[in-house]
Each structure stands twice: as structure tokens, then as C-alpha cells.
Amino acid sequence: MGNINSAIQQNNYDPRWFIWTIVFLVVTGISLVSYIVLSESGANEVDPVLSAKAVMHNKTK
């Protein structure tokens, strides 16, 4: 009789938790990689060489 109960429990297996776990891991991984790529690109940093340049005007007279 033990085999009958285990067969019934296997028929009620719901794989939705596994699918949602995979979706969560994929979304989290994409978000983490995007954050690292965007933060390493230096878009938020000021380049000291460019900010130290002064505009030079040549006098023609």
C-alpha cells in the first residue's frame, strides 16, 4: 500500500515553484550584470583631464 500513496503524491507534483525559481535567478542575474556593466563604464565619473581644460580665446588684433 505504500507504493500506491507515493504514486498519488507524484501525480500531484506542481513544477511552478521550479519555474518561478529559474525566472527569479535569470532576472536577478541580468540585473546584476547590467548594474556592473553600467557602473564600470564610468558614466557617473567626471574625467579630471577634461574638467581641467580651460577654453582658450585667440585674439586676432
Side-chain angles (χ1 to χ4, degrees):
M1 287 287 182
N3 293 337
I4 296 172
N5 289 337
S6 64
I8 292 172
Q9 289 176 355
Q10 287 178 356
N11 289 338
N12 292 333
Y13 175 73
D14 190 14
R16 285 185 288 179
W17 68 270
F18 182 73
I19 294 169
W20 282 113
T21 303
I22 297 299
V23 169
F24 173 76
L25 290 175
V26 168
V27 170
T28 305
I30 291 172
S31 300
L32 181 62
V33 169
S34 299
Y35 174 76
I36 291 171
V37 168
L38 291 175
S39 65
E40 286 183 353
S41 67
N44 296 331
E45 297 176 6
V46 176
D47 191 9
V49 175
L50 294 177
S51 63
K53 288 184 179 178
V55 177
M56 302 295 287
H57 294 286
N58 295 331
K59 293 184 179 182
T60 56
K61 291 183 179 181

